[in-house]
Amino acid sequence: MNVATYMRRDPDTLPDDTSLAEVKQFMEEKGYGLLLVVDSGGALKGFITRGALKEVKDWEIPVGDVCFEARFAVSKSDTLEKAALILLENRLVLLPVVDSGQLVGVITQGDILLGLARALGIGLEGTRMTVRLRQGPDDVYKVLAVLREAGVRLISMVHGSSYENDREVIFRLQEISDKEGVRAELEAALRG
């Protein structure tokens, strides 16, 4: 899962020579609270927020003179996980996506959430099963063997909470005909 799959291409931007009066009007018309600013060649120059416009005294100043530096960006080939961490650690709502300095898109919290939900199989018909496993790979292999033997289709496997000697693993499964039978097989395999 990379950024290119879930990013929004060709986002609305304004050139850095646009007056603040035009920026304000554009943001109000579109309902934007944040807008990316590009130079004449399409390279990311920075961003401006609706809040920053509240302090403006001279509305004829070009936005490029007062926009904030975009300190964070990702490339199309970066993973969704990397983009999510940058957003979370810096409390951002969107990230510019750049390619050789050129702005090619944006990725938002919602875009990342959609990508991660799809990767986890959330929303697909199936069964969610939480299993507590000992640390190390042995119990995971036992679970996978039981699922394979039962003809169950594994959609995703995610590490949940960790404890002192074990961890919770969440499995999303399809084609499970006897849920209680599979659970009993898992319990027996994990006790041994």
Side-chain angles (χ1 to χ4, degrees):
M1 295 182 313
N2 60 23
V3 168
T5 305
Y6 292 96
M7 72 181 205
R8 298 167 191 236
R9 300 178 192 296
D10 302 318
D12 283 340
T13 60
L14 286 177
D16 58 359
D17 61 353
T18 306
S19 74
L20 291 177
E22 293 172 288
V23 171
K24 181 180 180 192
Q25 180 182 352
F26 186 79
M27 290 178 85
E28 286 175 355
E29 287 173 3
K30 297 281 189 167
Y32 292 150
L34 181 145
L35 190 61
L36 296 175
V37 178
V38 294
D39 67 16
S40 60
L44 179 63
K45 173 91 177 202
F47 67 95
I48 190 77
T49 64
R50 186 179 298 173
L53 294 176
K54 292 178 183 176
E55 306 297 321
V56 172
K57 305 272 189 269
D58 181 356
W59 291 97
E60 294 310 311
I61 294 174
V63 68
D65 290 355
V66 297
C67 67
F68 301 101
E69 175 189 4
R71 297 181 319 169
F72 304 99
V74 289
S75 72
K76 295 186 298 185
S77 62
D78 282 332
T79 64
L80 283 184
E81 294 92 329
K82 177 180 179 178
L85 285 174
I86 292 170
L87 285 172
L88 287 170
E89 289 172 357
N90 298 286
R91 298 180 181 192
L92 304 173
V93 294
L94 68 78
L95 272 174
V97 181
V98 295
D99 186 13
S100 301
Q102 300 296 114
L103 180 69
V104 294
V106 296
I107 190 153
T108 67
Q109 292 173 345
D111 300 328
I112 291 171
L113 188 57
L114 174 64
L116 295 176
R118 284 186 180 160
L120 294 173
I122 296 172
L124 293 177
E125 190 80 23
T127 301
R128 179 183 191 271
M129 191 175 286
T130 303
V131 181
R132 214 159 157 166
L133 306 176
R134 290 174 291 229
Q135 298 294 345
D138 293 346
D139 281 357
V140 172
Y141 293 133
K142 289 177 184 177
V143 170
L144 294 175
V146 168
L147 296 177
R148 183 179 56 240
E149 186 67 30
V152 174
R153 182 171 176 231
L154 176 64
I155 300 300
S156 68
M157 180 176 77
V158 180
H159 184 277
S161 300
S162 289
Y163 304 96
E164 189 172 320
N165 296 317
D166 55 11
R167 66 186 185 261
E168 195 176 69
V169 178
I170 302 159
F171 294 89
R172 290 202 176 277
L173 310 167
Q174 287 183 331
E175 300 170 16
I176 184 167
S177 57
D178 179 11
K179 183 178 176 181
E180 294 310 314
V182 169
R183 185 169 293 284
E185 292 277 336
L186 286 172
E187 288 174 6
L190 293 173
R191 274 188 298 226

